[in-house]
Amino acid sequence: MSTVTEAARRAGAPRPGGGTIRSVRDSLVVARRNLIRMARIPEMVIFGLVQPIMFVVLFSYVFGGAIALPGQQGPIDPAQYRAFLMAGIFAQTVTFATAGAGAGIADDMHKGLIDRFRSLPMARGAVLTGRTLADLVQTALTLVVLAVVALIIGWRTHENLGKVLAGFGLLLLLGYAFSWIGALIGLSVRTPEAATSGGLIWLFPLTFISNAFVPSDSMPAFLRHIAEWNPFSATVQAARDLFGNLPPGYPVPDAWPMQHPVLASALWSVVIIAVFRTLAVRKYRSATA
């Protein structure tokens, strides 16, 4: 009897370590579980690569010869548009991962896996943190493949390696921030299908009412102001600056986020993480109470 009691005590007792250390450790365990799952279902990664590659090819070769950038002299140069475009495609790719994050968490809820996690002696927020970290790794791999495709079609950076890496770092930070929005959506709906729809329906206006694909000064005044204060636009502008992809003579809008895009991008991402992580963890606790 004493042996059984001791085993039960060990199973139910928290493991050694402070709250922060325990939360980090549990989050990494959950992240590892999700990464193993992704490795065993490679079509999840493959299908996640198809859409951004299609966007690169279609926008580069279908629209690239028809869109003139402000400050551009002479005939339309598709190469300049490709340089302008890629930061927008990178940003769109990391934010569209939001739908996958939400669907994955909704699927875990639907199958009862979250309830099984709740029965274990682990930090409550670790389930969501681990999931978002795993999604961040997948997003990083997608960005690597997408950058290779961009190099093949002629995209180049014109800054030093440190700035280029900083640009990709801001893109990943934005993707991680948006994955918390996806987590909240996944916890708020009943099915993975609803999470996918809910994760995409607001992303299309967010990404297209921005400077990702066309300059914001070509928009009506009210849309231009929205685009210039859009967190997505700030990250796109920051990536263009850090990659050295702003066309010669391109006029930078007067809005503060466009004048200080690196700082604005970092601030937007941190605020989104702080707000939506708090909301998602609170929703997780109430959903599993």
Side-chain angles (χ1 to χ4, degrees):
M1 178 67 69
S2 60
T3 303
V4 174
T5 303
E6 180 65 17
R9 186 188 67 79
R10 290 181 179 178
R15 287 170 290 180
T20 302
I21 295 175
R22 179 187 172 201
S23 180
V24 170
R25 182 174 54 215
D26 291 344
S27 298
L28 292 176
V29 170
V30 176
R32 180 174 178 271
R33 172 256 174 190
N34 283 286
L35 289 173
I36 291 173
R37 181 189 179 195
M38 291 175 188
R40 291 176 177 173
I41 313 176
E43 55 266 29
M44 292 174 59
V45 179
I46 294 172
F47 291 153
L49 289 171
V50 171
Q51 178 176 300
I53 291 174
M54 287 176 59
F55 270 109
V56 170
V57 175
L58 289 174
F59 273 87
S60 297
Y61 293 106
V62 176
F63 301 111
I67 298 178
L69 300 175
Q72 185 173 332
Q73 302 296 325
I76 294 175
D77 183 1
Q80 281 194 7
Y81 181 70
R82 282 197 293 271
F84 176 86
L85 169 72
M86 283 314 305
I89 294 292
F90 289 145
Q92 185 189 56
T93 299
V94 300
T95 53
F96 271 38
T98 301
I105 291 174
D107 187 50
D108 287 344
M109 290 283 291
H110 185 67
K111 293 178 178 177
L113 184 63
I114 298 296
D115 291 333
R116 292 197 287 273
F117 278 135
R118 183 172 176 264
S119 68
L120 298 175
M122 62 189 301
R124 285 293 180 89
V127 174
L128 301 181
T129 302
R131 174 76 205 198
T132 54
L133 287 175
D135 290 331
L136 180 63
V137 173
Q138 182 178 356
T139 301
L141 293 175
T142 303
L143 272 184
V144 170
V145 175
L146 196 56
V148 172
V149 174
L151 289 171
I152 292 173
I153 67 169
W155 172 71
R156 296 293 183 268
T157 59
H158 304 284
E159 294 289 354
N160 59 58
L161 181 61
K163 286 189 175 182
V164 172
L165 292 177
F168 281 112
L170 286 176
L171 288 165
L172 289 174
L173 182 62
L174 180 72
Y176 183 68
F178 274 52
S179 69
W180 282 105
I181 301 178
L184 180 61
I185 293 172
L187 291 168
S188 303
V189 299
R190 297 182 181 181
T191 65
E193 293 79 11
T196 301
S197 299
L200 287 175
I201 193 170
W202 60 275
L203 280 174
F204 279 102
L206 182 81
T207 55
F208 281 93
I209 304 176
S210 73
N211 60 357
F213 307 112
V214 296
S216 59
D217 63 0
S218 65
M219 302 177 184
F222 74 99
L223 284 182
R224 183 172 67 249
H225 293 309
I226 294 174
E228 290 171 353
W229 285 88
N230 185 342
F232 183 84
S233 293
T235 300
V236 172
Q237 187 76 4
R240 286 188 183 128
D241 278 353
L242 294 169
F243 294 157
N245 284 161
L246 282 175
Y250 182 82
V252 178
D254 293 332
W256 184 86
M258 299 295 99
Q259 292 289 328
H260 307 87
V262 174
L263 178 59
S265 173
L267 287 175
W268 270 120
S269 295
V270 170
V271 169
I272 292 171
I273 291 171
V275 171
F276 283 92
R277 186 185 189 281
T278 301
L279 294 175
V281 172
R282 185 177 300 170
K283 183 70 175 179
Y284 170 79
R285 288 175 175 169
S286 65
T288 58

